[in-house]
Amino acid sequence: MQPTIHNLIKFCQLEISHNYTNSAVIGGFENMLSVWIPDAKKQNVPLDLITKVEALFKDYDRSTHDQRVETIKNMLTILNKPESAQINSSKEQKNLNEEYLQKNQQPYEVKNSTKSISQPVKEPSQITDQVKTTEKTLSTTKISFLDPKTGLGAPLQTIPNVGPAKSKALSTIGLFTLEDLLYFFPRKYEDYSLLLPINRIEYNQKVTVIGSVKSIHTRSAKNNKIKITELILEDGTGTLRITFFNQPFLHKRLFKGAQIVVSGKTDMYLGRIAMNNPNWEKLDQKNLFTNRIVPIYKLTKNITQNWLRKIMDHTVSQWAPRVPDYFPTSLINKADLLDLSKAIYEVHNPETFELLARAQQRISFDEIFFLQLGVLQQRRNWQKATSTVFNVTTEWLEGIYQKLPYQLTNAQLRTIQDIRNDFMKGIPMSRLVQGDVGSGKTMVAAIAAAIATQNGNTQAALMAPTSILAEQHYKNLLDFFTEQDLLHSNQIRLLIGSTSNTEKEEIRQSLKDGTIKVIIGTHALLEDPIEFNNLEFVVIDEQHRFGVTQRSVLRDKGNSPHILVMTATPIPRSLALTVCGDLDISVMDEMPPGRQPVSTHIVSPLDRARVYQLIHNQLAEERQAFIVYPLVSTEEVEESDDSDQITNAAVNEHTRLQTEIFSTRTVGLLHGKMRPEEKDQIMFDFKNKKIDILVSTTVVEVGVDIPNASVMLIEGANRFGLAQLHQLRGRVGRGNHKSYCLLIPENEDAVENERLKVMQETNDGFVLAEKDLAQRGPGDFLGNRQSGYMDLRLANIMDVKLIEKAREFAQSIFEKDPDLNAEEHQEIKHILNHYWKTGTGDIS
């Protein structure tokens, strides 16, 4: 499209926002014709169109308001007629005249929210094809999305202005191919779509202004280190001072009379509205930075936002229209999804926030759909095998319950029944038990192991992430099995790193010949010399602490054993639906009677002395205390993202606490950089009351039981997620005495401290997990749960309705065509293999 036509459309849009006051162009529309007509002829604009423009605007200054409204309406209608051959291939042209005219002469406004939009909401049938005209410049034949021969697999250096240096820089943020760029979505957006005349802009407002440069000059700041370029912009309604810092080159690019578009946030200078460092563009070019919803991308060294935005615009405009939709038309219509190519285009170049939301929903749907389809296939492959059927009578179970020293909760009874049902199916159980700290998961695992080992010559194994936790489980299971008269003590053994070589050899032999029925251990169970006689049941505690490979090795030591994984980290329902689709889930959301809630308080850093006095008082009552720090040492502070924060660290503070605050007490130190045997010894001494105060990092998060500990002090609490804080809090309150969790943030007035208040309000781990997910994203919740599946780049894990919809369609296709052999599912099969890059995931 000729620039002169593009400018005329802009002037018409601006005139509407000026309420038809003939102020969109300096001197008025009629004076503009003397400049516009010669330019139009030079650019070969059809003579009949030039004549119509001249006729319409000739008497504009003498027209009434209603006549001007009709003139602008007619002008935009003429410019949008296809036969005029003036239809623009860029986004600004697409029916913007209709949008302006539908606003009852109000300025164009889009609020920065997907829920609050002032412009009219289009029905799906009214949404125009955003990339239709771009496709005309390319082959109309759709490409195979992932075939490197067709282009999307091509390296970035095939893009103009991307040389070896830029390509290397982009690789540091995971960008290697054209496909990577298409799916490199903006991290946020700036809304500069509000176009206003200068006399209507307000302070602290994100706005776009069109005008002419009245003056421009560059000077040095007082320290001579900064160059300041000041520009005065005028548009007929007023003037606007614009300041650029360290951009002296602008003096050569901008000159008096140049017509430009500027977008930014307004400020105040000497009592008048001003702008500092706004985005700007010449009026006759495609808007990438102004007068639109502007994408903001993640950057890396040697890559600027403006440069990357140009590269992204080039790539998306060229390739998004050619991306085929791998979903059948029937699925797209039934699920009410945006076309894939349009979704990709709109995520990078949103016209409205409504359309952006629909585009993001489409991409999110795809990611969750393929994740679900993958785990469904995994689950099917896992359940192709057959497993031993374990069955016990209700009378037998009741006999177990009656011998217990306490009554099981309803949540425990429900979970045991779930496991019992799984045992009777003849296929390997694959169940996740998630229960809050202290909800009784270990007893559930013990009863499940009892059911398994009462059926013939079978063996059960329980793997824990640390020796101290393994020892804790061993003691609990030994007491349970011997008190119930189910097994002899020599049939239940413990295998950890510190087990003597002689005992290890004996255990190996007894496992191999079947003498040992229940083995509890750490990763030592994974070692090659360990062979089982008939491993039929495996329990993995704190499953997120083990890698996928480690769990697979243990599983492979049996013959399709039943798998029970347990976690004390509450997983929000939406996340469980997303990443645990291959697991059956039992939720233990009830605490045993008599357990006291931990009293939680946020304490100002200035009141630390009072906290120390509380600890002194508790120690005087022969209690013990934890003091947890987010980092090991001050060296980590210097390397961290928040190096400007004064952060206490475990190693340094341990010395201070021992020598200055608790000099008459024994203060221990525990952190992840210690050798395993050192950590085990420290925890053993703490549990046996040889240590009064344990200074630690989050290594104590895993469920070690110290009933005598009554204080959990967490320094730098703002650095932790709510779920992690809840896990740390669960280390205390395990005895009969009142316990405290004290949170000290780094800064007393930090906004983020508001987040910590939830810890004071509830002891419910599931409530905290939901809030944590909403505030911080999925993060560590995912861990290695789905190894092999590419990262969720855009999926909204909190959108349960979207997750359920994607699951529904994935299950529907899987039930009809599990191997995706149907012709209409070939593209889906192709993409599925791409999403699951390694072809395997973790189903334990």
Side-chain angles (χ1 to χ4, degrees), residues 180-193:
D180 293 334
L181 280 185
L182 284 184
Y183 277 81
F184 184 65
F185 300 124
R187 61 183 179 85
K188 66 176 185 177
Y189 301 86
E190 291 285 358
D191 182 9
Y192 293 137
S193 58

Side-chain angles (χ1 to χ4, degrees), residues 132 186-187 221 232 288 436 445 478 594 608 626 650 664-665 676 706:
K132 186 175 181 180
R187 61 183 179 85
I232 302 297
L288 291 180
D436 215 337
L478 181 64
R608 193 175 278 109
F626 290 95
T664 61
R665 297 291 184 172
I706 311 290

